[in-house]
Each structure stands twice: as structure tokens, then as C-alpha cells.
Amino acid sequence: QVRLVESGGGSVQAGGSLRLTCAASGYGDSSYCMGWFRQVVGKEREGVAAVYTHDGTTYYADAIKGRFTISIDVAKNTLYLQMNSLKPEDTAIYYCAADYYCDDNTWPHADEYNYWGQGTQVTVSS
């Protein structure tokens, strides 16, 4: 059973940085896709970034390009999201998600992922 546990959320002022961590277990030796999503109350969960371990391809939402960086330590089965130049509109609950495949079309869609973490709150004040 795949299990995902996020950490690293918190409160920061605009322009600050945070790093989110997602520890994964249960994947064995398979290639997999891991991503970060975020959600605010009343809105759909949106894809932020993803990485496919099969070939190392990374994907980013336009809203965070150049500010956020996704990375993965395959040996530790740990996913990271480095968030710089944070803005108040980045405030959301951030979720780690995983499944066995993603591509340019599928990565930002929450229903393409079967495994989810519990979420971690990120709050950016102006």
C-alpha cells in the first residue's frame, strides 16, 4: 500500500520561502509519478508541479513557474517542493499525490492520482 506523508507547511510573509517534503512508501521498484496539488476552500484542487521518475520529466503550472522547484530523492522515496518568492495567492492546503504514470496531459488532473497525503497548510501574508 502506497503511503504519503507531507511536512514543511507553515506561515510566511510574502516574498519568503518554504520547502515542502513528502515521504513515500510502498512503491517498490516501480517508476512512478509524484506531484503537488493545492486547494483553497470553494475551489478545485489544482496541480502545482509533478515529476515522473521513469525519465525525470518535471511539469509545472504556469502560476508558479520560476518560483517553485520540484525535486525527488529516489533513493529516499522523498519528494520536495521548494517554494520561493511566495505570494498571498499561494495560500492553500498543499497535497502530495502519486500514481504510476503521468504525462503532459495527465499530470495536472487530480483524478489521475490514486494516492494522496493528508495535506499541509501554507499561509502567505502580505
Side-chain angles (χ1 to χ4, degrees):
Q1 180 69 23
V2 174
R3 185 168 181 257
L4 306 173
V5 180
E6 301 108 331
S7 61
S11 297
V12 65
Q13 288 192 326
S17 298
L18 286 172
R19 188 175 82 155
L20 305 183
T21 299
C22 174
S25 59
Y27 261 105
D29 294 330
S30 301
S31 296
Y32 48 92
C33 180
M34 293 190 73
W36 290 99
F37 284 74
R38 64 187 183 185
Q39 189 171 27
V40 297
V41 175
K43 293 190 176 181
E44 290 188 357
R45 197 167 292 190
E46 65 171 351
V48 175
V51 56
Y52 185 35
T53 64
H54 176 68
D55 56 11
T57 301
T58 56
Y59 306 95
Y60 290 96
D62 288 342
I64 57 83
K65 277 181 181 176
R67 299 189 297 121
F68 293 8
T69 303
I70 191 170
S71 61
I72 188 166
D73 185 332
V74 175
K76 295 181 179 179
N77 282 344
T78 301
L79 180 74
Y80 304 96
L81 184 69
Q82 179 64 45
M83 304 186 294
N84 298 329
S85 302
L86 282 160
K87 303 176 181 180
E89 52 263 43
D90 294 319
T91 296
I93 298 175
Y94 283 71
Y95 296 91
C96 175
D99 214 297
Y100 289 96
Y101 174 82
C102 62
D103 60 28
D104 195 47
N105 292 316
T106 64
W107 82 266
H109 301 292
D111 57 4
E112 295 287 342
Y113 297 79
N114 282 307
Y115 306 103
W116 291 88
Q118 80 284 357
T120 186
Q121 177 71 46
V122 171
T123 303
V124 184
S125 58
S126 57

